[in-house]
Amino acid sequence: MTLNAVELEIARNRLESIAEEVGTALIRTAYSPNIKDRRDCSAGIYGPDGELISQAEHIPLHLGLMPTLIRTTLAEYGAQRLRPGDVLLTNNPYLGGSHLPDMCVITPVFQEDRIVAVIANMAHHVDVGGQTPGSMSTRSTEIFQEGIRIPPLKLFARGELQEELLQLLLMNIRTRDKTRGDLMAQVAANRLGTRRVQELLEEWGVAGFHTACHALVDYAERRTRSAIRELPDGRGSFTDHLEHTGVHPEQLPIAATVTVRGDEIEVDFSDTCDQVPGAVNCSRAVATACVAYVLKSLSDPSLPSNAGLTHPIKVITRPGSLVHAVFPAPVAHGNIQTSQRIVDTLFGAFETFTQGLVPAASSGSMSMLTIGGMDPSSGEYYSYVETYGGGQGAFPDQAGASATHTHMTNTRNTPCEVIEREYPLLVESYRILPDTGGDGRHRGGNGLERTLRLRSGSAIVTVGTERVSSGPWGLHGGEPGTPAGVQHHGTEGVRDLESMSRVELRAGEAISIRTAGGGGYGASISGS
C-alpha cells in the first residue's frame, strides 16, 4: 500500500499537529519560567525503534539530537521490557543527550501488547544538582560535578509513579518543587500525545499507521536528496575556534571538511581538537544535529523533519574529541557554545565551494546566564536560567536581525515582569545595542544587553558566552560584529569578566551581559 500526494500531506499534517500539541500542553502546564515562558523544550513522535516520524517546530538542537537519544535509550533499556503505562526518563549525554538539565521523557504507545509508536519530549530543568545553582557550571572538569546523571529508568511503571525514584532525584536537586512540577508536565504532555496517536490507530489501523510513517520518511529522503543535488558538488574545509574551555581561556579549533557528491553529503570532524577538562565538550549527537540544521537551512528550509532528512548524510567524528565527548567529560556548555561554533564552521566550509549561499557569522553563542541561591523572603532555593539572543549574521541579500536567537537555539526571552516576580532580581536595563552589527552592503544584526541587580541575599552567577576576544566574522568585505562582554558591578566598581565565568553576587550588586553583533556581508557602499 502506498500513499498518494494528498494522503501524504494529510498524514504529515496530522502527525505534526500531534507533536505540536504535545509541546503546547507541556508549555501550558509547566511550573518553571524556563519552560512556560521561555519555551525551552521540544517534542516529537517516533517509531517503535526510535526512528523520527514527526516533530514540532521547537529547538533545532533538541530536535536534531533526540532521535539518537530515543534510539539508544530504547536499545539500552530494552524495548521488550516495556509495558503499557511505562514512562522512561533519562538525561545521559553519552547516550545522545545534550547536557544534564535537558531531561527527556519517553512514553511508548501500545496496541495490545506491541509498541507501535513512541512519544517523547525534552525540557531544560532549572536545576539538576551539581556544584552551582542552575547546574551549568563553567568550572566543571568531570560530569559528576554537573549534577545527577540519570540512566534510562522507569519514572512510571504500568501507570504507577515510582515515588522512591522521584524522591531520590529530588533529594539531589535544589529546586525540587519546580522540578517535580515540570516533570509531571512532561509526563502529562506525552499522555495527551498517546491519546492522539491512539485516535489515529482507531481511524487508520496499525497497518495504515505504519504505512503512513514509512511513506513520510521515504518522502523526506526523496526531497532531501533532490535538494542536495541542487547544491554544487565540491569539497571544502574550514576551522573556527572557541575561545574558552570553561576553566581558562584557550583557542579550541573545530575543523570540518564538507563533501557534496551527487545526492549525498559527508562531513568529517576528525581534525577537531581533543575533548578538554572544561564544560564545552559535546556529544556526537549534538554535532549530527548541527549538520542536519545546516543542510536544511542552506538547501531547502521546507524539508520535512523526520528520519529521511538524515539518510543522505554521513557524519564522521573522532571519539574523545571536542565534538564527540566520552565519559567522564563535562558537557554543560557543549550545546550552549560548541554547537553554535560547529554551525559557523560548517558554514565556513560550504562557503569555500559555493557562491551567494552562506550568511556571515551570527553572535556565536546562546549566551547563558544563571543566577541562583536562597531567597531570604521564602527560605527556598531559586534558579534563574536564561539564554540571550544576539546579532544575526547578514545574508547575501538582506541585513541580519537584531537581538534574536539564531541557529541551534529557538527560545523566547523571559519577560522582565516575570523575572522580578519570580526571583529577588531587579532588571536594571534591557536593550538592543545600536551599531554593534558589522558594517557592510548588508549589516549584521545588533546584539543586546541586560543588567540584573540582586535585591537581597547572596547568589552564585554562572555566565557563558563567546566571541568576546574577537567578533563574529563578516563575508566578502563585510565587517565583523562587535564582540560580546560580561561585567560584574560590585562594591569596588565595575570589572570585566572572562567569557565563561563564575562570580558571587551580594545584595545590591549586579551582573550585565552584552551579546555580540552579527557579521556584515559585502563591502559597504561608503567604503567601495
Side-chain angles (χ1 to χ4, degrees):
M1 178 181 174
T2 59
L3 300 186
N4 61 39
V6 173
E7 292 169 331
L8 194 66
E9 194 67 9
I10 291 172
R12 182 179 69 82
N13 281 275
R14 290 285 296 272
L15 288 163
E16 287 180 0
S17 70
I18 294 173
E20 291 284 357
E21 192 174 5
V22 171
T24 299
L26 171 55
I27 290 163
R28 294 184 67 179
T29 56
Y31 276 44
S32 69
N34 196 52
I35 301 174
K36 67 182 180 182
D37 293 298
R38 292 192 61 246
R39 304 190 175 190
D40 195 347
C41 58
S42 301
I45 302 173
Y46 302 80
D49 58 354
E51 181 180 62
L52 176 62
I53 305 303
S54 68
Q55 56 188 196
E57 292 187 358
H58 289 151
I59 299 174
L61 182 84
H62 287 172
L63 299 173
L65 63 81
M66 283 176 67
T68 301
L69 180 61
I70 307 305
R71 184 176 62 253
T72 54
T73 295
L74 292 174
E76 176 158 305
Y77 188 86
Q80 71 280 359
R81 296 171 56 195
L82 296 173
R83 298 293 180 267
D86 288 350
V87 177
L88 291 178
L89 174 67
T90 188
N91 68 346
N92 190 349
Y94 308 122
L95 287 180
S98 55
H99 54 188
L100 299 185
D102 281 342
M103 291 199 194
C104 189
V105 172
I106 303 167
T107 305
V109 181
F110 281 82
Q111 184 74 357
E112 296 179 350
D113 60 350
R114 187 169 58 136
I115 298 176
V116 294
V118 173
I119 311 294
N121 68 68
M122 176 176 280
H124 184 113
H125 289 253
V126 294
D127 192 88
V128 289
Q131 63 182 202
T132 58
S135 310
M136 290 295 298
S137 172
T138 60
R139 297 290 187 256
S140 57
T141 57
E142 58 179 3
I143 192 71
F144 300 105
Q145 298 165 340
E146 296 187 330
I148 188 165
R149 185 159 52 105
I150 307 167
L153 295 172
K154 285 184 181 179
L155 180 60
F156 280 75
R158 297 182 184 270
E160 294 294 325
L161 175 63
Q162 303 302 285
E163 285 282 1
E164 291 182 348
L165 167 61
L166 182 59
Q167 291 306 315
L168 174 63
L169 297 180
L170 297 180
M171 185 69 70
N172 290 279
I173 292 172
R174 296 174 181 87
T175 55
R176 55 181 295 127
D177 291 340
K178 287 285 194 297
T179 299
R180 183 188 177 101
D182 286 346
L183 275 176
M184 294 304 103
Q186 288 183 265
V187 172
N190 277 4
R191 284 179 177 168
L192 175 60
T194 298
R195 291 201 302 272
R196 295 292 183 257
V197 169
Q198 288 171 338
E199 290 167 3
L200 282 185
L201 291 170
E202 292 176 4
E203 183 178 340
W204 295 351
V206 174
F209 178 80
H210 287 311
T211 295
C213 292
H214 293 314
L216 287 171
V217 171
D218 290 343
Y219 171 65
E221 181 174 353
R222 293 196 305 273
R223 289 262 322 261
T224 303
R225 290 188 181 277
S226 177
I228 295 173
R229 281 194 293 269
E230 295 298 314
L231 296 173
D233 280 1
R235 178 186 177 91
S237 298
F238 190 81
T239 301
D240 209 331
H241 297 80
L242 290 176
E243 61 190 30
H244 208 290
T245 68
V247 178
H248 55 78
E250 182 180 342
Q251 292 291 303
L252 303 174
I254 297 176
T257 296
V258 173
T259 303
V260 177
R261 186 183 303 109
D263 63 358
E264 295 185 341
I265 287 181
E266 178 182 282
V267 179
D268 189 346
F269 292 104
S270 298
D271 292 333
T272 296
C273 69
D274 291 343
Q275 65 187 45
V276 296
V280 295
N281 306 289
C282 70
S283 68
R284 171 184 160 84
V286 169
T288 302
C290 294
V291 174
Y293 164 80
V294 168
L295 168 61
K296 186 170 179 176
S297 64
L298 293 183
S299 60
D300 182 357
S302 69
L303 291 175
S305 293
N306 62 42
L309 175 67
T310 58
H311 286 174
I313 301 173
K314 180 180 181 182
V315 178
I316 301 170
T317 57
R318 178 170 52 84
S321 66
L322 191 72
V323 299
H324 188 159
V326 297
F327 177 83
V331 297
H333 289 262
N335 55 339
I336 302 299
Q337 315 299 344
T338 311
S339 70
Q340 302 290 67
R341 193 63 72 255
I342 293 171
V343 170
D344 290 343
T345 302
L346 292 170
F347 278 154
F350 271 101
E351 170 66 17
T352 63
F353 65 94
T354 63
Q355 291 185 348
L357 187 66
V358 173
S362 296
S363 57
S365 171
M366 297 184 193
S367 296
M368 172 163 273
L369 177 65
T370 67
I371 304 175
M374 186 79 75
D375 188 341
S377 65
S378 65
E380 296 181 352
Y381 273 103
Y382 67 92
S383 180
Y384 161 76
V385 178
E386 183 149 19
T387 55
Y388 293 92
Q392 184 182 42
F395 295 85
D397 59 350
Q398 62 182 317
S402 295
T404 188
H405 288 276
T406 55
H407 301 326
M408 303 309 292
T409 176
N410 188 32
T411 56
R412 297 188 175 188
N413 63 354
T414 308
C416 298
E417 297 84 355
V418 172
I419 294 174
E420 295 182 348
R421 183 192 69 210
E422 293 278 340
Y423 315 107
L425 298 170
L426 174 69
V427 182
E428 196 160 89
S429 69
Y430 188 37
R431 65 189 183 110
I432 295 175
L433 294 169
D435 302 321
T436 51
D439 196 10
R441 185 172 70 250
H442 301 292
R443 288 192 64 97
N446 295 320
L448 62 76
E449 178 186 66
R450 180 176 261 173
T451 301
L452 293 167
R453 192 170 296 277
L454 185 66
R455 289 183 292 161
S456 60
S458 63
I460 298 297
V461 174
T462 301
V463 60
T465 188
E466 271 283 335
R467 300 296 196 191
V468 170
S469 59
S470 60
W473 39 263
L475 279 178
H476 300 288
E479 296 295 322
T482 301
V486 183
Q487 290 184 324
H488 173 214
H489 303 255
T491 56
E492 299 178 357
V494 179
R495 64 186 178 99
D496 292 328
L497 301 178
E498 294 178 0
S499 60
M500 299 185 71
S501 297
R502 178 186 185 275
V503 65
E504 182 174 352
L505 284 187
R506 291 173 288 182
E509 295 184 334
I511 192 82
S512 65
I513 182 170
R514 303 186 309 276
T515 60
Y521 195 103
S524 64
I525 296 176
S526 60
S528 59

